Amino acid sequence: MSRLFATGLAVAALGVLAPAVSAQAGHADMPGMAGMHDSMAVMAPLDIPHSRMGSGTSWVPDASAMRHYHYQRRSGNWMFMGHGVVDLYYDHQGTSRGGNQIGSTNWLMGMAMGKLGGGMLQLDAMLSAEPFSVGGRGYPLLLQSGESFRGESLHDRQHPHDLFMELSASYEHALSRNLAISLYAAPVGEPALGPVAFMHRPSAQSDPFASIAHHWQDVTHITFGVATVGIYSRTMKLEGSVFNGREPDEDRYDVDFRKPDSWSARLAVNPGTQWSLNASYGFLKSPEELHADESQHRIGASVMRTAPFGATGEWAAALVYGGIQRRIAGTWDKVQHSLLAESNLQLDGRNVVYGRLTWVQKDAEELVVTGFPSERHWGLTTISLGYARELVHFKQTAVELGVRGEVGAIPAELKPTYGTRHPAGLAVYLRLRPMAPSGTAMEM
Ligand SMILES: [Cu+2]
């Protein structure tokens, strides 16, 4: 009951956000869009469009449509934007390791951008009601793993996001016509590591659920204590971060500070408006509370493309690699690899089809499978497909009905555990999010 109540609160929050901002600035009408682009061009160094902003300090292709609400004061010095997604789902995951749940995955984000000292100051706050609306044990998702609940490793469940997903401040300033610097400080935020987190990844935007490689690729998007320095041109950005390497604990309402003991570096390249590539490396000191003596090397690389589709549609795709190497009892273990291919096809203003193919190596301990040495590992493959249709929209908010299925292919050794070599799950959901700005991709 409290889960439904929390979902109601999240919907209400989105409902308040939408009319409050969209009443001030018509998102869909062209004069509004043009006005926004002009003033933002003045604000952002090197004329880099705001559509390039991903999660944290990451980049996505410029051509990616931004589903958001915006509001700009007449003075033009400050601009406010709101993003958000609220899903109400019924999730059924098969086998004895699955489960059924009604709940809500959701996040809301407010951003403020202003001119300061010849540069641009940006303040971001991103919140999620998932600690209430999903619950501490997370939602059923076969073959998923990572983080903990009641002191035990979670498996076949996706943990909820923390109440505070991001609280950050960044400042960007041009050094010359072709070069600028950026500074990012966040009590809760994302270091320059890995691909764009899935909430902000154009190819993952319609999927209410995480990939089973989340902990191999983009899990550091909630990090408690991050400082990042970057230098960039119009097409390239090099960044370095120092941060607290410990993942969020199971108390989802607090901010878990520790001293900055980890670091990362990332190179991003945007050659043209439709592409974005990046590669990163990170050293994480003691990321897991349940394995406090272990550290990790993390390597990541991704290629993203967003292109117009038809008159009003958009096709966003991504290929993501993530690898983890653990140091266990003083020696570096084998690298565990993961690979993901993802696609989001917005056919028109109303219909979207999306899919994801994931392959990841997980070990017996991670999956909590008994009868094998803990380091025994397997390659797991899943494919998920989804379709959503916009039923109605009010103000600038779209209400969509969607269905999402996922089926796995696992080695014979795991068959006794799952009872099948093809564990499968299905979810139906109602989704609220800002409307697709039809034609934006064409404008770019
Ligand atoms: Cu996450």
PDB file of all heavy atoms in Angstrom, residues 147 158-161 165 197-199 210 214-215 218-222, ligand 1:
ATOM      1  N   GLU A 147      24.705  -4.994  -5.248  1.00  0.00           N
ATOM      2  CA  GLU A 147      24.292  -4.338  -4.000  1.00  0.00           C
ATOM      3  C   GLU A 147      23.594  -5.335  -3.072  1.00  0.00           C
ATOM      4  O   GLU A 147      23.615  -6.547  -3.321  1.00  0.00           O
ATOM      5  CB  GLU A 147      23.492  -3.059  -4.292  1.00  0.00           C
ATOM      6  CG  GLU A 147      24.339  -2.112  -5.164  1.00  0.00           C
ATOM      7  CD  GLU A 147      23.907  -0.659  -5.218  1.00  0.00           C
ATOM      8  OE1 GLU A 147      22.996  -0.231  -4.492  1.00  0.00           O
ATOM      9  OE2 GLU A 147      24.519   0.085  -6.016  1.00  0.00           O
ATOM     10  N   GLN A 158      16.659  -6.131  -9.128  1.00  0.00           N
ATOM     11  CA  GLN A 158      17.365  -4.866  -9.362  1.00  0.00           C
ATOM     12  C   GLN A 158      17.107  -3.973  -8.151  1.00  0.00           C
ATOM     13  O   GLN A 158      15.956  -3.676  -7.840  1.00  0.00           O
ATOM     14  CB  GLN A 158      16.864  -4.195 -10.638  1.00  0.00           C
ATOM     15  CG  GLN A 158      17.273  -2.738 -10.811  1.00  0.00           C
ATOM     16  CD  GLN A 158      18.781  -2.533 -10.917  1.00  0.00           C
ATOM     17  OE1 GLN A 158      19.467  -3.279 -11.609  1.00  0.00           O
ATOM     18  NE2 GLN A 158      19.301  -1.535 -10.209  1.00  0.00           N
ATOM     19  N   HIS A 159      18.181  -3.559  -7.487  1.00  0.00           N
ATOM     20  CA  HIS A 159      18.028  -2.712  -6.293  1.00  0.00           C
ATOM     21  C   HIS A 159      17.365  -1.379  -6.656  1.00  0.00           C
ATOM     22  O   HIS A 159      17.478  -0.919  -7.789  1.00  0.00           O
ATOM     23  CB  HIS A 159      19.401  -2.457  -5.652  1.00  0.00           C
ATOM     24  CG  HIS A 159      20.332  -1.677  -6.528  1.00  0.00           C
ATOM     25  ND1 HIS A 159      20.228  -0.311  -6.691  1.00  0.00           N
ATOM     26  CD2 HIS A 159      21.349  -2.060  -7.316  1.00  0.00           C
ATOM     27  CE1 HIS A 159      21.143   0.094  -7.530  1.00  0.00           C
ATOM     28  NE2 HIS A 159      21.840  -0.944  -7.936  1.00  0.00           N
ATOM     29  N   PRO A 160      16.684  -0.761  -5.702  1.00  0.00           N
ATOM     30  CA  PRO A 160      16.094   0.555  -5.981  1.00  0.00           C
ATOM     31  C   PRO A 160      17.189   1.612  -6.041  1.00  0.00           C
ATOM     32  O   PRO A 160      18.262   1.431  -5.471  1.00  0.00           O
ATOM     33  CB  PRO A 160      15.216   0.804  -4.753  1.00  0.00           C
ATOM     34  CG  PRO A 160      15.907   0.054  -3.648  1.00  0.00           C
ATOM     35  CD  PRO A 160      16.482  -1.170  -4.300  1.00  0.00           C
ATOM     36  N   HIS A 161      16.911   2.692  -6.764  1.00  0.00           N
ATOM     37  CA  HIS A 161      17.846   3.813  -6.704  1.00  0.00           C
ATOM     38  C   HIS A 161      17.643   4.573  -5.410  1.00  0.00           C
ATOM     39  O   HIS A 161      16.598   4.480  -4.780  1.00  0.00           O
ATOM     40  CB  HIS A 161      17.634   4.725  -7.914  1.00  0.00           C
ATOM     41  CG  HIS A 161      18.249   4.160  -9.150  1.00  0.00           C
ATOM     42  ND1 HIS A 161      17.559   4.004 -10.322  1.00  0.00           N
ATOM     43  CD2 HIS A 161      19.493   3.683  -9.371  1.00  0.00           C
ATOM     44  CE1 HIS A 161      18.367   3.465 -11.217  1.00  0.00           C
ATOM     45  NE2 HIS A 161      19.539   3.248 -10.668  1.00  0.00           N
ATOM     46  N   MET A 165      19.617  10.853  -6.145  1.00  0.00           N
ATOM     47  CA  MET A 165      20.385  10.253  -7.244  1.00  0.00           C
ATOM     48  C   MET A 165      21.471  11.197  -7.731  1.00  0.00           C
ATOM     49  O   MET A 165      22.502  10.784  -8.213  1.00  0.00           O
ATOM     50  CB  MET A 165      19.462   9.904  -8.418  1.00  0.00           C
ATOM     51  CG  MET A 165      18.507   8.761  -8.108  1.00  0.00           C
ATOM     52  SD  MET A 165      17.449   8.379  -9.524  1.00  0.00           S
ATOM     53  CE  MET A 165      18.577   7.479 -10.587  1.00  0.00           C
ATOM     54  N   ALA A 197      24.750   6.911 -18.080  1.00  0.00           N
ATOM     55  CA  ALA A 197      23.888   6.038 -17.281  1.00  0.00           C
ATOM     56  C   ALA A 197      22.554   5.828 -17.990  1.00  0.00           C
ATOM     57  O   ALA A 197      22.071   6.709 -18.706  1.00  0.00           O
ATOM     58  CB  ALA A 197      23.670   6.633 -15.896  1.00  0.00           C
ATOM     59  N   PHE A 198      21.941   4.669 -17.770  1.00  0.00           N
ATOM     60  CA  PHE A 198      20.807   4.291 -18.628  1.00  0.00           C
ATOM     61  C   PHE A 198      19.618   5.233 -18.573  1.00  0.00           C
ATOM     62  O   PHE A 198      18.896   5.374 -19.553  1.00  0.00           O
ATOM     63  CB  PHE A 198      20.384   2.834 -18.361  1.00  0.00           C
ATOM     64  CG  PHE A 198      19.716   2.545 -17.043  1.00  0.00           C
ATOM     65  CD1 PHE A 198      18.338   2.611 -16.929  1.00  0.00           C
ATOM     66  CD2 PHE A 198      20.451   2.178 -15.927  1.00  0.00           C
ATOM     67  CE1 PHE A 198      17.704   2.335 -15.724  1.00  0.00           C
ATOM     68  CE2 PHE A 198      19.831   1.898 -14.718  1.00  0.00           C
ATOM     69  CZ  PHE A 198      18.461   1.976 -14.620  1.00  0.00           C
ATOM     70  N   MET A 199      19.403   5.919 -17.459  1.00  0.00           N
ATOM     71  CA  MET A 199      18.277   6.853 -17.367  1.00  0.00           C
ATOM     72  C   MET A 199      18.385   7.962 -18.413  1.00  0.00           C
ATOM     73  O   MET A 199      17.387   8.532 -18.825  1.00  0.00           O
ATOM     74  CB  MET A 199      18.216   7.519 -15.995  1.00  0.00           C
ATOM     75  CG  MET A 199      17.668   6.662 -14.891  1.00  0.00           C
ATOM     76  SD  MET A 199      18.805   5.422 -14.278  1.00  0.00           S
ATOM     77  CE  MET A 199      20.282   6.258 -14.011  1.00  0.00           C
ATOM     78  N   ALA A 210      16.477  -1.885 -15.782  1.00  0.00           N
ATOM     79  CA  ALA A 210      17.925  -1.811 -16.014  1.00  0.00           C
ATOM     80  C   ALA A 210      18.400  -3.031 -16.793  1.00  0.00           C
ATOM     81  O   ALA A 210      17.715  -4.048 -16.874  1.00  0.00           O
ATOM     82  CB  ALA A 210      18.643  -1.747 -14.666  1.00  0.00           C
ATOM     83  N   HIS A 214      24.215  -3.747 -15.680  1.00  0.00           N
ATOM     84  CA  HIS A 214      24.269  -2.426 -15.030  1.00  0.00           C
ATOM     85  C   HIS A 214      25.495  -2.284 -14.120  1.00  0.00           C
ATOM     86  O   HIS A 214      26.193  -1.285 -14.149  1.00  0.00           O
ATOM     87  CB  HIS A 214      22.979  -2.218 -14.228  1.00  0.00           C
ATOM     88  CG  HIS A 214      22.838  -0.862 -13.600  1.00  0.00           C
ATOM     89  ND1 HIS A 214      23.227   0.305 -14.228  1.00  0.00           N
ATOM     90  CD2 HIS A 214      22.353  -0.473 -12.386  1.00  0.00           C
ATOM     91  CE1 HIS A 214      22.972   1.338 -13.429  1.00  0.00           C
ATOM     92  NE2 HIS A 214      22.460   0.893 -12.315  1.00  0.00           N
ATOM     93  N   HIS A 215      25.779  -3.329 -13.336  1.00  0.00           N
ATOM     94  CA  HIS A 215      26.904  -3.237 -12.399  1.00  0.00           C
ATOM     95  C   HIS A 215      28.260  -3.391 -13.074  1.00  0.00           C
ATOM     96  O   HIS A 215      29.287  -3.172 -12.449  1.00  0.00           O
ATOM     97  CB  HIS A 215      26.729  -4.224 -11.247  1.00  0.00           C
ATOM     98  CG  HIS A 215      25.828  -3.676 -10.189  1.00  0.00           C
ATOM     99  ND1 HIS A 215      26.285  -3.166  -8.999  1.00  0.00           N
ATOM    100  CD2 HIS A 215      24.494  -3.486 -10.185  1.00  0.00           C
ATOM    101  CE1 HIS A 215      25.268  -2.701  -8.300  1.00  0.00           C
ATOM    102  NE2 HIS A 215      24.160  -2.883  -8.997  1.00  0.00           N
ATOM    103  N   ASP A 218      27.420   0.983 -15.898  1.00  0.00           N
ATOM    104  CA  ASP A 218      27.065   2.359 -15.544  1.00  0.00           C
ATOM    105  C   ASP A 218      26.609   2.532 -14.099  1.00  0.00           C
ATOM    106  O   ASP A 218      25.951   3.511 -13.772  1.00  0.00           O
ATOM    107  CB  ASP A 218      25.976   2.896 -16.492  1.00  0.00           C
ATOM    108  CG  ASP A 218      24.794   1.949 -16.663  1.00  0.00           C
ATOM    109  OD1 ASP A 218      24.882   0.794 -16.213  1.00  0.00           O
ATOM    110  OD2 ASP A 218      23.781   2.355 -17.245  1.00  0.00           O
ATOM    111  N   VAL A 219      26.983   1.580 -13.235  1.00  0.00           N
ATOM    112  CA  VAL A 219      26.450   1.616 -11.869  1.00  0.00           C
ATOM    113  C   VAL A 219      26.998   2.778 -11.041  1.00  0.00           C
ATOM    114  O   VAL A 219      26.372   3.211 -10.079  1.00  0.00           O
ATOM    115  CB  VAL A 219      26.699   0.273 -11.153  1.00  0.00           C
ATOM    116  CG1 VAL A 219      28.164   0.117 -10.782  1.00  0.00           C
ATOM    117  CG2 VAL A 219      25.806   0.136  -9.936  1.00  0.00           C
ATOM    118  N   THR A 220      28.152   3.331 -11.407  1.00  0.00           N
ATOM    119  CA  THR A 220      28.747   4.404 -10.601  1.00  0.00           C
ATOM    120  C   THR A 220      27.999   5.736 -10.747  1.00  0.00           C
ATOM    121  O   THR A 220      28.424   6.733 -10.195  1.00  0.00           O
ATOM    122  CB  THR A 220      30.238   4.606 -10.956  1.00  0.00           C
ATOM    123  OG1 THR A 220      30.361   4.662 -12.386  1.00  0.00           O
ATOM    124  CG2 THR A 220      31.083   3.461 -10.441  1.00  0.00           C
ATOM    125  N   HIS A 221      26.854   5.723 -11.464  1.00  0.00           N
ATOM    126  CA  HIS A 221      26.116   6.988 -11.621  1.00  0.00           C
ATOM    127  C   HIS A 221      25.618   7.543 -10.293  1.00  0.00           C
ATOM    128  O   HIS A 221      25.344   8.728 -10.206  1.00  0.00           O
ATOM    129  CB  HIS A 221      24.970   6.849 -12.637  1.00  0.00           C
ATOM    130  CG  HIS A 221      23.829   5.986 -12.196  1.00  0.00           C
ATOM    131  ND1 HIS A 221      22.684   6.505 -11.636  1.00  0.00           N
ATOM    132  CD2 HIS A 221      23.658   4.652 -12.225  1.00  0.00           C
ATOM    133  CE1 HIS A 221      21.848   5.515 -11.349  1.00  0.00           C
ATOM    134  NE2 HIS A 221      22.406   4.384 -11.692  1.00  0.00           N
ATOM    135  N   ILE A 222      25.492   6.702  -9.266  1.00  0.00           N
ATOM    136  CA  ILE A 222      25.210   7.241  -7.924  1.00  0.00           C
ATOM    137  C   ILE A 222      26.445   7.010  -7.064  1.00  0.00           C
ATOM    138  O   ILE A 222      26.703   5.906  -6.598  1.00  0.00           O
ATOM    139  CB  ILE A 222      23.977   6.587  -7.265  1.00  0.00           C
ATOM    140  CG1 ILE A 222      22.736   6.777  -8.146  1.00  0.00           C
ATOM    141  CG2 ILE A 222      23.727   7.194  -5.878  1.00  0.00           C
ATOM    142  CD1 ILE A 222      21.456   6.209  -7.547  1.00  0.00           C
TER     143      ILE A 222
HETATM  144 CU    CU B   1      21.518   2.503 -11.218  1.00  0.00          CU
END
